[in-house]
């Protein structure tokens, strides 16, 4: 195992794309991992190849560091989502804004599979976009959860993995700022145009902050964050 390689949980959304840029800035070799678990909407997964290609095109160092992409199929996750258990249930948001497609403990499973892959690929660093600040009630996004899992994975696999969560303590406006710091306006524009966060999987309307239904909790967070980011941003030079 080298100390240098990283594996990024990369779904094709705003957060994981920012995490990918963060990792490319830090580690000499970065691989990506996506999960296919029969998501209602495959838009995020479909964005991934485009994002990888365009993010590499923005920076020659990043291009040289970006390694393989992996996709793992986890059909069992679809089998334990509420919409799968009650087939006639429409997508709905429960108290706290959790969609009923939410799978309890999903991030625990993702990180465990990521560690198993990182073990095989001899990658030490695992990077995920979990965030406690905008934490919408997902207990498996909590910092303590991730730290406990790091201990469990290292004991259970006899490795010294380091789980990185660069977004843990920042809000959505600061996530846009982080993208700007990492890759300037081109990276912000890429995230606006080519990432997908909306729970409903709609890409019909292009808002200032990107595509989405504009009304689901994920769109609200993304839109509100972008508004606050744009309000604070130093105006770009003309043509910049
Ligand atoms: Zn939405």
């Amino acid at each position: 195992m080298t100390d240098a390689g990283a594996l990024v949980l990369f779904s094709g959304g705003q957060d994981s794309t920012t995490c990918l840029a963060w990792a490319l800035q830090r580690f000499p070799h970065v691989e990506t991992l996506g999960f296919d678990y029969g998501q209602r909407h495959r838009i995020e997964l479909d964005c991934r190849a485009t994002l990888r290609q365009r993010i590499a095109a923005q920076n020659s160092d990043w291009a040289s560091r970006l390694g393989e992409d992996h996709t793992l199929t986890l059909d069992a996750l679809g089998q334990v989502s509420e919409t799968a258990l009650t087939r006639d249930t429409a997508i709905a948001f429960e108290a706290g804004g959790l969609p009923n497609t939410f799978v309890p403990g999903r991030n625990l499973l993702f990180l465990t599979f990521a560690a198993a892959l990182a073990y095989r690929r001899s990658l030490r660093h695992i990077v995920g976009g979990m965030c406690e600040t905008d934490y919408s009630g997902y207990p498996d996004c909590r910092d303590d959860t991730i730290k406990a899992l790091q201990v469990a994975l290292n004991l259970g696999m006899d490795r010294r993995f380091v789980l990185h969560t660069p977004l843990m303590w920042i809000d959505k406006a600061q996530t846009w700022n982080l993208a700007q710091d990492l890759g300037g306006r081109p990276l912000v524009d890429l995230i606006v145009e080519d990432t997908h966060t909306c729970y409903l999987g709609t890409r019909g309307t292009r808002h200032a902050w990107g595509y989405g239904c504009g009304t689901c909790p994920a769109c609200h967070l993304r839109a509100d964050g972008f508004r606050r980011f744009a309000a604070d941003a130093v105006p770009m030079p003309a043509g910049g």
Side-chain angles (χ1 to χ4, degrees):
M1 173 174 289
T2 69
D3 274 355
L7 180 65
V8 178
L9 273 67
F10 181 56
S11 67
Q14 175 187 356
D15 291 347
S16 69
T17 302
T18 306
C19 285
L20 176 56
W22 182 90
L24 288 168
Q25 194 72 13
R26 266 163 195 76
F27 302 109
H29 179 76
V30 177
E31 302 186 8
T32 52
L33 170 61
F35 294 100
D36 185 349
Y37 52 101
Q39 290 96 319
R40 218 177 146 88
H41 303 288
R42 298 187 44 88
I43 287 180
E44 273 198 13
L45 277 182
D46 294 343
C47 290
R48 297 173 74 258
T50 305
L51 282 164
R52 278 175 45 93
Q53 181 197 344
R54 292 191 179 160
I55 207 167
Q58 292 194 352
N59 182 314
S60 57
D61 288 337
W62 293 359
S64 68
R65 295 170 184 169
L66 184 60
E68 288 90 325
D69 183 36
H70 310 272
T71 306
L72 292 177
T73 303
L74 298 183
D75 288 340
L77 284 191
Q79 291 178 286
V80 292
S81 80
E82 182 69 18
T83 42
L85 294 171
T86 55
R87 282 160 58 204
D88 294 334
T89 309
I91 189 167
F93 300 102
E94 298 163 353
L98 289 178
N100 58 1
T101 50
F102 168 66
V103 176
R106 189 182 62 173
N107 285 316
L108 302 179
L109 295 166
F110 283 177
L111 285 165
T112 303
F113 275 97
L117 179 66
Y119 185 108
R120 288 288 178 216
R121 303 289 301 165
S122 298
L123 304 168
R124 181 178 186 197
H125 301 275
I126 298 170
V127 184
M130 298 81 187
C131 172
E132 191 166 314
T133 309
D134 284 330
Y135 158 76
S136 328
Y138 293 86
D140 56 342
C141 289
R142 283 189 281 214
D143 192 49
D144 285 351
T145 305
I146 306 300
K147 285 184 162 60
L149 188 60
Q150 175 174 298
V151 172
L153 291 170
N154 283 327
L155 286 171
M157 297 191 192
D158 196 20
R159 282 289 185 272
R160 294 300 298 171
F161 294 121
V162 184
L163 270 51
H164 299 268
T165 52
L167 311 184
M168 182 58 74
W169 302 113
I170 64 177
D171 66 16
K172 280 282 188 255
Q174 291 168 310
T175 301
W176 286 107
N177 263 309
L178 176 59
Q180 169 122 312
D181 290 345
L182 289 165
R185 194 72 206 185
L187 183 59
V188 171
D189 289 344
L190 175 68
I191 289 171
V192 167
E193 283 302 325
D194 291 311
T195 68
H196 186 86
T197 312
C198 177
Y199 283 142
L200 303 185
T202 176
R203 277 186 80 74
T205 308
R206 163 66 156 82
H207 311 268
W209 44 267
Y211 294 88
C213 72
T215 56
C216 78
C219 282
H220 270 305
L221 270 179
R222 177 168 167 148
D224 177 64
F226 190 83
R227 258 192 302 278
R228 287 184 291 122
F229 160 70
D232 289 345
V234 178
M236 287 286 145

